[in-house]
């Protein structure tokens, strides 16, 4: 038996309000690269469900750039480390945060800029990290860098000191500082593909054009067009037009020679100010014939824009923060292969398992940490969620929307479980039973609950003292104590009934999983103890012959009931820990989610 990686459904780009985010596309216009948490994702533009994850950074990543050849990627993080991958070597700068990276036309030299104690940028070779110039002339952090792709080589940097510095190379040396043009932070600089022009944008909402060879100022265009900070700029492959992205929720295509807007998109509902739709980056992929423009909203949504179309032709959504909870339609026997995930920023997404595409649940969502999800087969199906806004919310899976507002809970929720058409919520103050969002009963517990699971009218509640209380849920929705399991010496973190209800798996904070027979709650298996960290999630396959577990130790294990000594391992499945696991496609595959905000699909081979 083995666990093999099958797919990665990438996290959305990390964004920060009031700061630009960097997007990069390869020379063929097939892939897009961006930073998300401590990872870099390379994602197919035409099929976003196909992606590659780079996890060698140990700090929050900030930027990733494809080399012009398309074979290498240079990425940077907040610690000041620059990594070049899929090539011979790697270079590293010392000091503070990396804000941007640029390649020369030969894919040999890199300029990395950001915030440092003494210098705000470094010029290095991609293969050895040796210095090939000096970035000087700025007195504050540098936000953006661009290198002219033709010889003679030129480079430009834009900074918080309101200036643009022009360099001659190689090796790159200071040539001139262009001050007095921008009146606030310079957020973006870009040479045109033919090297004839240079453009700069910033928080003063101004766009300046320069000669790409000499750095001579050509003039300002579009004064007053953007009503908010301009965070990103990218050229078309013909060097005649460029596109800008702004906090005023707009993306605009400009005719560089005429200085006029030729296409304008406004993201979000008309006339409604939406912070989530601040456009913080934009990329115009070269090598494509469809003229596609990709912009990035503060929410992490990638908007696919095509000239002549007033609205995005596609929006790619996902999670930006660590995914905490997961639920599969397999748990309720649904024929539609759907997955729901909830993350620490309060976002819930619904995933089409077949297509590998996620959409955000619309409506009144949680304001922070989603502690649990539970699906029921009420009507056409319902999904319930609990969050640290102390609310229980209901979703309609068919429309991917929340139904009404939330129901207030008595305390901070720990987890939620479904029992038929009722849900039981474990909170810091006890247990609450709801039916169609109406509270049916409330039970106070002596010890604070930590997790919960249910099978028909049986409810298991794990506690911080290591015990598991078994309740019977009566027809009047009251919880009646049945028995107590006290085998665990550590706090119970996860519980899961097999789908026929014959077994209960109990995972604790020390990494051990014990399986009990539900007929008398005697120990059936106590040999599942390979995790070295807290067991965050357990799920059974439909036949009840295998269980999968995820842990903060970043690993996933698949266990066999028939042969408890056998196990299959997926090591380092998620950076910063695995928070949720589930079975899909009738128990043929596993999905997992974790601290990297990504959802991953795994094939389980050798099941027999």
């Amino acid at each position: 038996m083995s666990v093999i990686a099958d797919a990665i459904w990438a996290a959305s780009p990390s964004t920060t309000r009031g700061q630009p985010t960097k997007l990069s596309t390869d020379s063929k216009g097939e892939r897009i690269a961006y930073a998300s948490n401590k990872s870099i994702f390379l994602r197919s533009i035409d099929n976003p469900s196909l992606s590659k994850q780079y996890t060698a950074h140990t700090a929050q990543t900030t930027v990733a750039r494809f080399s012009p050849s398309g074979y290498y990627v240079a990425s940077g993080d907040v610690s000041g480390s620059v990594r070049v991958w899929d090539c011979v070597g790697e270079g590293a700068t010392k000091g503070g945060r990396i804000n941007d990276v640029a390649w020369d036309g030969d894919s040999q030299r890199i300029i990395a800029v950001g915030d440092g104690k003494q210098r705000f940028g470094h010029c290095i070779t991609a293969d050895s990290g040796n210095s090939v110039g000096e970035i000087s002339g700025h007195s504050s952090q540098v936000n953006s860098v661009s290198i002219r792709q033709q010889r003679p080589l030129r480079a430009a940097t834009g900074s918080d000191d309101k200036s643009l510095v022009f360099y001659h190379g190689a090796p790159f040396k200071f040539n001139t500082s262009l001050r007095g043009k921008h009146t606030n932070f310079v957020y973006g600089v870009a040479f045109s593909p033919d090297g004839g022009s240079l453009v700069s944008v910033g928080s003063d909402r101004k766009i300046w054009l320069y000669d790409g060879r000499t750095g001579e100022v050509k003039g300002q265009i579009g004064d007053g067009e953007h009503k908010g900070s301009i965070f990103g700029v990218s050229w078309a492959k013909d060097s005649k037009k460029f596109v800008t992205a702004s906090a005023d929720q707009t993306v605009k295509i400009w005719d560089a020679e005429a200085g006029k807007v030729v296409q304008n998109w406004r993201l979000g509902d008309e006339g409604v100010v939406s912070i989530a739709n601040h456009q913080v980056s934009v990329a115009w992929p070269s090598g494509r014939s469809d003229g596609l423009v990709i912009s990035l909203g503060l929410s992490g949504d990638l908007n696919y824009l095509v000239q002549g179309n007033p609205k995005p032709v596609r929006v790619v959504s996902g999670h930006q923060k660590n995914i905490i909870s997961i639920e599969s339609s397999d748990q309720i026997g649904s024929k539609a292969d759907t997955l729901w995930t909830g993350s620490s920023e309060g976002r819930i997404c619904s995933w089409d398992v077949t297509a590998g595409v996620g959409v955000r649940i619309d409506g009144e969502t949680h304001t922070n940490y989603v502690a649990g999800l539970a699906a029921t087969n009420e009507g056409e199906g319902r999904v319930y969620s609990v969050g640290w806004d102390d609310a229980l919310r209901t979703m309609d899976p068919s429309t991917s929307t929340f139904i009404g507002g939330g129901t207030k809970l008595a305390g901070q929720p720990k987890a939620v479980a479904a029992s038929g058409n009722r849900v039981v919520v474990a909170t810091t103050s006890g247990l609450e039973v709801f039916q169609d969002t109406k509270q049916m009963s409330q039970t106070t517990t002596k010890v604070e609950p930590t997790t919960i699971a249910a099978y028909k009218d049986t409810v298991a509640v794990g506690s911080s003292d290591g015990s598991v209380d078994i309740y019977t849920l009566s027809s009047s929705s009251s919880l009646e104590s049945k028995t107590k399991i006290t085998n665990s010496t550590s706090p119970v973190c996860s519980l899961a009934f097999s789908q026929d209800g014959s077994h209960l798996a109990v995972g604790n904070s020390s990494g051990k999983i014990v399986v009990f027979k539900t007929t008398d709650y005697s120990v059936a298996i106590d040999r599942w103890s390979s995790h070295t960290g807290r067991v965050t999630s357990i799920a059974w396959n439909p036949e009840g012959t295998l269980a999968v577990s995820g842990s903060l130790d970043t690993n996933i294990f698949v266990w066999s009931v028939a042969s408890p000594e056998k196990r299959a391992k997926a090591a380092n499945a998620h950076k910063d820990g695995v928070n949720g696991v589930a079975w899909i496609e009738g128990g043929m595959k596993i999905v997992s989610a974790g601290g990297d905000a990504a959802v991953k699909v795994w094939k389980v081979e050798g099941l027999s």
Side-chain angles (χ1 to χ4, degrees), residues 9-10 43 317-319 323 337-341 349-353 356-359 597 599:
W9 302 340
R43 199 168 190 176
S317 298
H319 292 283
I323 299 174
D337 248 340
T338 308
L339 187 76
W340 300 278
T341 51
C349 290
S350 172
W351 302 84
D352 182 325
V353 171
V357 175
V359 295
V599 178

Side-chain angles (χ1 to χ4, degrees), residues 46-246:
D46 295 313
N47 186 0
S49 65
L50 301 177
S51 63
K52 176 183 177 182
Q53 183 182 14
Y54 179 75
T55 59
H57 286 279
T58 57
Q60 174 80 34
T61 53
T62 53
V63 61
R65 296 282 190 190
F66 283 104
S67 66
S69 68
Y71 294 117
Y72 318 130
V73 174
S75 54
D77 61 36
V78 295
S79 73
S81 174
V82 177
R83 292 183 174 271
V84 180
W85 22 297
D86 288 347
C87 69
V88 177
E90 128 188 346
T93 66
K94 298 178 180 178
R97 171 191 174 99
I98 302 295
N99 286 334
D100 199 5
V101 172
W103 289 85
D104 73 347
D106 301 326
S107 300
Q108 294 178 352
R109 303 172 187 86
I110 295 169
I111 297 180
V113 298
D115 195 6
K117 294 179 180 179
Q118 297 176 346
R119 290 189 291 177
F120 300 108
H122 290 257
C123 309
I124 56 176
T125 55
D127 56 356
S128 64
N130 293 332
S131 177
V132 285
E134 184 179 40
I135 298 299
S136 59
H138 288 296
S139 59
S140 189
Q141 74 167 352
V142 179
N143 297 312
S144 183
V145 61
S146 183
I147 300 177
R148 187 174 186 260
Q149 300 295 289
Q150 298 78 16
R151 294 182 182 275
L153 293 180
R154 301 287 186 260
T157 53
S159 167
D160 275 4
D161 63 11
K162 310 174 189 176
S163 71
L164 182 145
V165 174
F166 199 73
Y167 304 87
H168 283 191
F172 291 99
K173 294 180 179 178
F174 175 88
N175 176 255
T176 184
S177 178
L178 301 167
R179 297 181 179 273
K181 305 305 176 190
H182 285 284
T183 57
N184 213 324
F185 304 151
V186 182
Y187 282 147
V189 295
F191 282 95
S192 60
D194 65 6
S197 299
L198 171 69
V199 63
S200 65
V201 298
S203 62
D204 56 4
R205 312 171 189 178
K206 294 179 180 179
I207 303 171
W208 284 90
L209 288 169
Y210 314 84
D211 185 282
R213 186 184 177 106
T214 65
E216 180 182 341
V217 178
K218 287 184 178 180
Q220 181 189 353
I221 66 169
D223 191 26
E225 280 282 352
H226 277 298
K227 309 301 181 186
S229 297
I230 305 173
F231 288 120
V233 61
S234 181
W235 284 90
K237 61 182 178 182
D238 63 6
S239 299
K240 295 179 180 178
K241 293 180 285 188
F242 61 85
V243 61
T244 54
S246 170

Side-chain angles (χ1 to χ4, degrees), residues 85 156 164 238 376 402 440 558 586:
W85 22 297
L164 182 145
D238 63 6
T376 71
F402 286 99
M440 306 301 291
V558 177

Side-chain angles (χ1 to χ4, degrees), residues 358-373:
V359 295
R360 190 179 309 124
I361 304 297
D362 290 328
E364 191 178 333
T365 187
H366 294 283
T367 56
N368 52 24
Y369 194 100
V370 179
L373 294 166

